[in-house]
Amino acid sequence: MTLKALAVAPPMVEAKGLSVRYATGTPLLGRHRSSISAVDRVSFQIARGETLGLVGESGCGKTTTGRMLVRLLEPTAGSIEF
């Protein structure tokens, strides 16, 4: 497959605006008062034959993003299309 064909082909995986928030603190009347953002509005595409590497410091959301891609964790917001 040529580079031109790769550029025109639709992505194999497309993540749009992925976010994950976790509730923190003790619930008051059944509701949590605050939350912390683990991943905030991450978007990318992976075309056929490409590889994606996630690099960052400890605690920046690499594992959480990977877990969303393989559906071990559902995003709070955003979508993943295969």
Side-chain angles (χ1 to χ4, degrees), residues 59-76:
C60 72
K62 300 178 302 288
T63 299
T64 301
T65 301
R67 287 180 177 166
M68 284 188 286
L69 283 175
V70 296
R71 297 295 197 196
L72 291 175
L73 178 65
E74 286 298 316
T76 306

Side-chain angles (χ1 to χ4, degrees), residues 8-29:
V8 178
M12 288 186 61
V13 178
E14 183 173 17
K16 297 178 187 176
L18 295 180
S19 296
V20 173
R21 297 190 67 78
Y22 293 108
T24 59
T26 56
L28 179 63
L29 300 174

Side-chain angles (χ1 to χ4, degrees), residues 47-67:
R48 182 180 203 98
E50 287 185 334
T51 302
L52 173 70
L54 293 175
V55 179
E57 61 186 52
S58 177
C60 72
K62 300 178 302 288
T63 299
T64 301
T65 301
R67 287 180 177 166

